[in-house]
Amino acid sequence: MSDSDTPAGTSARLNTGVAHNARVWNYWIGGKDNYEVDQQVGEHVAGMFPIIREIARADRWFLGRAVRYLAEEQGIRQFLDIGTGLPTVDNTHEIAQRIAPESRIVYVDNDPIVLVHARTLLTSTPAGVTDYIDADVHDPDAILERAAGTLDFDQPVAVMMLGILNFVLDVDKARDIARRVMAAMPSGSHLALTHPTFDSDLGGEGQIPAMKFWNENATPPITARSREDIVSFFDGLTLLEPGLVSCSQWRAESGSPLAVPQFGAVAVKP
């Protein structure tokens, strides 16, 4: 994608000279919405930490399984997807509305290139609603205020926070964001979350030098965390089976897929 391919009206925040997570992630999963700098940084990180492409794909597959589980088995009809990233195939609203056409979905992101592609996200079944808000995970109150225009917070909501709290570098701040968002949700709401780890039992040690390179050459800065820190994001919630596991293995359809150093879980608010 070249500058000339970028639709008019893109926010001045769009900087195509520095690699950005949403675009590099898109590159790792085989997407086309990225620039040369994203490809260069993505290749370098993959050279340092080859499993990163598997992590990216596993995180995306987790999204699909989690949304299907929440819609089919838990009867959720509202989704708040914070840090959605660039649209690919089988986005949250597409999966949910295939199962229940009346589902209402709000996407949240503050990356300008995602905003450019919001028109792709803003498609819905006639019976449902799909909306997009430009907001930052660091400001949960703004997210909640704006999402309330589409979602009914008196009815259960599935909050999706996939690979987003790793961009909140202070663990107490990240924990507070998760707590504040879920505090606004009624009983029966769910939190689906993934997060990279440096824990050695999942082969996460390689995240540390790769993330150091990332933080010196790309944006936004990122961090990995321990199992203990990640499980604390679910404080006050009840983890559903199989608990906090490698996201590639959470309710995996068949076999025993490769464990990747990215935890994933779904929890319910009592």
Side-chain angles (χ1 to χ4, degrees):
M1 183 174 185
S2 68
D3 290 333
S4 62
D5 296 322
T6 306
T10 302
S11 167
R13 288 178 291 143
L14 178 56
N15 183 352
T16 61
V18 177
H20 193 283
N21 177 75
R23 302 190 309 256
V24 176
W25 199 258
N26 176 266
Y27 174 65
W28 282 331
I29 63 174
K32 304 297 184 184
D33 298 308
N34 49 76
Y35 297 89
E36 184 177 356
V37 66
D38 306 307
Q39 298 163 18
Q40 291 172 346
V41 170
E43 283 297 320
H44 191 96
V45 171
M48 298 177 69
F49 193 53
I51 200 173
I52 190 62
R53 286 190 173 91
E54 291 298 327
I55 294 173
R57 287 191 285 265
D59 192 83
R60 191 71 192 176
W61 293 333
F62 173 92
L63 169 71
R65 294 196 302 278
V67 173
R68 284 193 296 273
Y69 168 75
L70 290 164
E72 288 180 342
E73 299 188 35
Q74 298 299 314
I76 297 295
R77 298 295 180 261
Q78 301 188 106
F79 293 81
L80 177 59
D81 191 336
I82 302 175
T84 179
L86 282 160
T88 56
V89 296
D90 272 355
N91 301 289
T92 298
H93 75 284
E94 293 168 323
I95 300 169
Q97 291 179 348
R98 274 202 301 269
I99 296 164
E102 72 274 20
S103 296
R104 305 172 74 87
I105 293 86
V106 172
Y107 291 104
V108 183
D109 210 294
N110 74 326
D111 175 19
I113 196 70
V114 176
L115 184 59
V116 168
H117 288 267
R119 65 187 185 282
T120 304
L121 292 173
L122 293 174
T123 58
S124 178
T125 57
V129 177
T130 304
D131 199 6
Y132 174 89
I133 58 178
D134 182 11
D136 193 314
V137 67
H138 291 86
D139 191 357
D141 293 340
I143 291 173
L144 292 168
E145 179 182 0
R146 297 177 66 186
T150 299
L151 304 178
D152 177 2
F153 288 164
D154 291 328
Q155 299 297 320
V157 177
V159 176
M160 315 295 292
M161 302 185 83
L162 274 57
I164 185 64
L165 289 182
N166 36 288
F167 297 110
V168 181
L169 301 187
D170 182 87
V171 68
D172 291 331
K173 175 68 171 175
R175 192 179 297 118
D176 182 62
I177 289 169
R179 180 192 62 78
R180 286 163 67 185
V181 170
M182 294 309 297
M185 303 299 153
S187 175
S189 294
H190 291 70
L191 173 61
L193 182 147
T194 62
H195 196 295
T197 184
F198 48 66
D199 285 1
S200 58
D201 60 337
L202 289 183
E205 312 96 314
Q207 300 263 32
I208 298 172
M211 286 184 174
K212 182 177 185 293
F213 173 84
W214 174 270
N215 290 343
E216 292 169 350
N217 293 276
T219 190
I222 191 171
T223 189
R225 293 189 167 103
S226 67
R227 174 190 291 269
E228 290 73 24
D229 279 342
I230 297 168
V231 79
S232 74
F233 299 148
F234 296 94
D235 285 352
L237 309 176
T238 301
L239 282 168
L240 303 178
E241 290 296 331
L244 186 69
V245 297
S246 171
C247 70
S248 61
Q249 298 180 329
W250 188 87
R251 294 181 177 261
E253 284 91 345
S254 60
S256 181
L258 172 72
V260 298
Q262 177 112 329
F263 280 116
V266 175
V268 64
K269 183 174 179 178

